[in-house]
Amino acid sequence: QVQLVESGGGVVQPGRSLRLSCEASGFTFSDYGMHWVRQAPGKGLEWVAATSYDGSNKNHADSVKGRFAISRDNSKNTLYLQMNSLRAEDTAVYYCAKKTAGSSFNCPDYWGQGTLVTVSS
Amino acid sequence: QSALTQPASVSGSPGQSITISCTGTSSDVGSYNFVSWYQQHPGKAPKLMIYEGIKRPSGLSNRFSGSKSGNTASLTISGLQADDEADYYCCSYAGSTTWVFGGGTKVTVL
């Protein structure tokens, strides 16, 4: 079955960097686009970034553009999110999610359990 | 990239049907059939309930159904059950390799 396991979260000071990882199993990782989605405490879901199956096409939400970067290593079945210049408003649970099969325009289907990032001095 | 608009809360009695709306614009919901719906219980990851506007994942109860009219997508839950009490979110493709979520709706089973 599809498994997505995020890691790399923690407490970080404003302005510092953090890299999240998401290890995938149970499906052919290199065949699917992937998303990062976040959820601030007590708030709703916010799309953060997405990448195509081969990493050639990617985009980021305006709220993180220029600070965050999504990437993938298909040889390691792993998705990454490099987060730089972190702000307090980036505090959230970050979910890795697989794109629904069928179209590259699809929202996610399977989600990991999330990793908490807390930006605080 | 403004969030899609959902009602903050919807409630119903066991056995009843409820409908949750998700209103976007002609740049997202109105232009694409790539709308998904998710159920999220407290402390858990979201679970896909509907994708491409009307399709149910394999094995999911047919009590959940999706539809779309113009810039508004809808999720209907029929035969409401206690376990349906959760937060529900919509998601839509918004063009130019971007996606947008709704603000979420809390469903309460009375």
Side-chain angles (χ1 to χ4, degrees), chain A residues 44-59:
Chain A
L45 301 172
E46 180 188 11
W47 176 76
V48 172
T51 178
S52 59
Y53 68 99
D54 61 355
S56 64
N57 188 16
K58 58 185 78 170
N59 206 355

Side-chain angles (χ1 to χ4, degrees), chain B residues 40-92:
Chain B
Q40 186 181 34
H41 285 110
K44 300 294 188 182
K47 175 186 176 182
L48 179 68
M49 308 304 281
I50 295 289
Y51 68 101
E52 293 179 14
I54 60 173
K55 298 179 180 179
R56 271 189 308 275
S58 175
L60 195 78
S61 170
N62 60 8
R63 297 188 301 107
F64 294 85
S65 62
S67 63
K68 193 186 89 165
S69 177
N71 295 339
T72 299
S74 298
L75 173 72
T76 297
I77 309 174
S78 58
L80 201 61
Q81 299 177 359
D83 190 52
D84 297 334
E85 187 162 294
D87 294 325
Y88 290 81
Y89 294 90
C90 59
C91 168
S92 174

